[in-house]
């Protein structure tokens, strides 16, 4: 072997996507699995069958350990923070005391529709160590000791890439939570207030239970999205400095297109797909149960 380095709408959308994606999945998935069982450079016609060697090498590859840890940390941060921020913003925008709610909703959701390459360009400029806005602002405030090469320091690079990810992903849970909040009858809150419930008690016993289905949807879709992370890491750090910000998606890309180890890259892709499928099963089952 060569060297290896709303419920109804949601159900309708899910079924439509499934009908469209099923033929493609049936044709692409077996090819990827078969490719993962070979040693191939991706160019020459010769492929050497190596069985499960590519999968065994996953356990020996030190970069895989780094990538898995980064994926898990990325998943934790970019799911919890957007969910909490989205819920907080939705609660604020659902209040009648807030003016310009339509405008604010648009502003908060706008980052979610930006291409991730554009997002990376914006934040790459903000993080620029010489004339970036973040270091300039810190210097203006007299906090020069905090300025640094945010994307060039392996202690901050991964965290720095998570900030734009949170910025982009907050808009999606915001809209889902806001839609769910608007379906809760105001009579429930009024009755709880009449009974002497505090704002926290109303949130805990009235709002949170009503948001449980939305929490499941946001969590499942966010989990799948987090395991597919590639664009921001690739555009902002290219997996560096060193290999400190590598994730499974970028390491797969490097092996296929940089190191010409398509078989090993395909094995990583298969693992990513399996994780996404198993994570998505609870969401699919919940949609089937509801229907």
């Amino acid at each position: 072997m060569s060297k290896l380095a709303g419920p109804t709408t949601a159900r309708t959308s899910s079924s439509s996507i499934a009908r469209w994606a099923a033929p493609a999945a049936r044709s692409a998935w077996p090819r990827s699995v078969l490719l993962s069982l070979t040693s191939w450079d991706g160019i020459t016609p010769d492929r050497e069958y190596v069985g499960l060697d590519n999968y065994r090498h996953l356990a020996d590859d030190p970069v895989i350990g780094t990538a898995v840890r980064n994926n898990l940390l990325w998943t934790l941060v970019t799911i919890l923070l957007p969910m909490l921020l989205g819920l907080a913003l939705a609660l604020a925008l659902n209040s009648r005391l807030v003016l310009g709610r339509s405008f604010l909703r648009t502003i908060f959701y706008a980052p979610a529709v930006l291409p991730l390459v554009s997002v990376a360009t914006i934040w790459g400029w903000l993080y620029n160590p010489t004339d970036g806005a973040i270091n300039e602002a810190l210097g203006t405030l007299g906090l020069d000791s905090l300025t640094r090469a945010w994307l060039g320091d392996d202690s901050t690079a991964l965290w720095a890439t998570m900030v734009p990810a949170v910025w982009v992903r907050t808009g999606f849970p915001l809209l889902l939570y806001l839609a769910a909040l608007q379906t809760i009858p105001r009579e429930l809150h009024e009755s709880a207030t009449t009974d002497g419930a505090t704002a926290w008690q109303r949130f805990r016993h009235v709002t949170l239970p009503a948001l449980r289905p939305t929490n499941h949807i946001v969590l499942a879709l966010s989990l799948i999205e987090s395991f597919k992370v590639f664009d921001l890491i690739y555009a902002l750090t290219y997996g560096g400095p060193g290999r400190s910000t590598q994730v499974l998606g970028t390491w797969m890309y490097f092996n296929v297109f940089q190191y010409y180890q398509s078989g090993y890259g395909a094995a990583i892709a298969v693992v990513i797909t399996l994780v996404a499928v198993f994570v998505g099963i609870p969401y699919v089952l919940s949609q089937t149960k509801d229907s």
Side-chain angles (χ1 to χ4, degrees):
M1 176 183 170
S2 59
K3 273 191 174 181
L4 296 173
T8 304
T9 304
R11 287 194 296 270
T12 303
S13 300
S14 300
S15 60
S16 300
I17 293 173
R19 286 196 297 270
W20 176 85
R26 283 195 297 269
S27 61
W29 175 248
R31 293 179 185 178
S32 297
V33 173
L34 291 176
L35 181 58
S36 72
L37 302 177
T38 67
S39 176
W40 184 43
D41 60 10
I43 300 175
T44 62
D46 299 326
R47 306 184 189 185
E48 178 188 355
Y49 176 76
V50 296
L52 298 176
D53 284 357
N54 286 328
Y55 293 95
R56 295 189 187 99
H57 182 58
L58 290 172
D60 302 326
D61 187 350
V63 182
I64 286 292
T66 300
V68 170
R69 286 194 300 272
N70 289 344
N71 264 105
L72 292 174
L73 185 58
W74 178 282
T75 299
L76 182 65
V77 173
T78 62
I79 288 178
L80 290 182
L81 285 184
M83 284 184 70
L84 293 174
L85 289 173
L87 178 57
L89 291 172
L91 289 169
L93 293 177
N94 194 50
S95 172
R96 294 177 178 177
L97 301 177
V98 177
L99 300 177
R101 286 181 291 176
S102 297
F103 174 74
L104 292 174
R105 184 169 61 244
T106 302
I107 292 297
F108 290 138
Y109 186 71
V113 301
L114 292 176
L116 287 180
V117 174
S118 299
V119 173
T121 302
I122 294 170
W123 283 89
W125 171 75
L126 292 173
Y127 284 132
N128 189 293
T130 56
D131 57 2
I134 294 177
N135 280 349
E136 289 285 344
L138 290 173
T140 301
L141 296 172
L143 301 174
D144 300 86
S145 60
L146 297 180
T147 62
R148 65 189 65 215
W150 299 97
L151 298 174
D153 186 338
D154 57 7
S155 66
T156 60
L158 184 64
W159 297 101
T161 61
M162 293 180 188
V163 175
V166 171
W167 182 61
V168 167
R169 295 186 181 187
T170 299
F172 176 66
L174 163 63
L175 288 188
L176 290 185
Y177 282 130
L178 186 58
L181 287 171
Q182 292 173 350
T183 64
I184 302 175
R186 292 193 177 274
E187 292 79 7
L188 294 178
H189 286 282
E190 292 170 356
S191 299
T193 302
T194 302
D195 291 338
T198 63
W200 167 250
Q201 290 172 330
R202 293 196 303 272
F203 174 75
R204 180 181 177 185
H205 298 291
V206 177
T207 304
L208 274 184
L211 294 179
R212 189 174 293 116
T214 305
N215 287 332
H216 293 162
I217 294 173
V218 171
L219 182 60
L221 296 182
S222 297
L223 272 170
I224 295 172
E225 187 67 23
S226 293
F227 272 96
K228 296 183 339 187
V229 56
F230 173 83
D231 310 66
L232 286 176
I233 296 290
Y234 181 83
L236 283 171
T237 67
Y238 205 60
R243 291 173 174 171
S244 61
T245 61
Q246 286 284 0
V247 291
L248 290 174
T250 55
W251 191 231
M252 173 198 69
Y253 172 87
F254 273 68
N255 277 280
V256 174
F257 296 105
Q258 298 289 330
Y259 307 143
Y260 303 106
Q261 298 171 358
S262 296
Y264 186 52
I268 299 174
V270 169
V271 171
I272 296 173
T273 304
L274 288 175
V275 171
V277 167
F278 282 112
V279 166
I281 284 176
Y283 169 70
V284 175
L285 292 178
S286 67
Q287 291 298 302
T288 305
K289 182 179 180 181
D290 290 340
S291 63

